[in-house]
Amino acid sequence: MYEYKYVSVESTGVMVPEFKGQRELIDRCAADGWRFAGWVPVRLTTASGGALKVIDLIFEREV
């Protein structure tokens, strides 16, 4: 059995998505026993054909 943790990360880019701090966030969660499992889009912009604005990073660990 696993438990999951979702952390939202917002893009700082306007026309092209630019995410900052995600590597440090993944490292911090890994140090706390979480394994990075993937990501999902949460919100798209209406500009630039629907560029990513917010994503959720997904972490898991055994319980």
Side-chain angles (χ1 to χ4, degrees), residues 1-61:
M1 181 98 180
Y2 290 90
E3 68 177 315
Y4 293 90
K5 173 179 174 174
Y6 306 90
V7 181
S8 293
V9 180
E10 189 165 346
S11 169
T12 58
V14 177
M15 296 300 281
V16 176
E18 183 178 340
F19 297 94
K20 294 186 178 185
Q22 74 278 7
R23 290 180 180 177
E24 294 80 6
L25 177 61
I26 292 170
D27 289 343
R28 279 195 313 271
C29 288
D32 290 338
W34 293 93
R35 184 179 81 86
F36 177 68
W39 66 275
V40 294
V42 174
R43 188 171 58 217
L44 303 174
T45 66
T46 54
S48 183
L52 288 172
K53 185 64 180 163
V54 178
I55 62 172
D56 273 357
L57 301 180
I58 305 166
F59 299 89
E60 67 180 6
R61 67 179 172 190

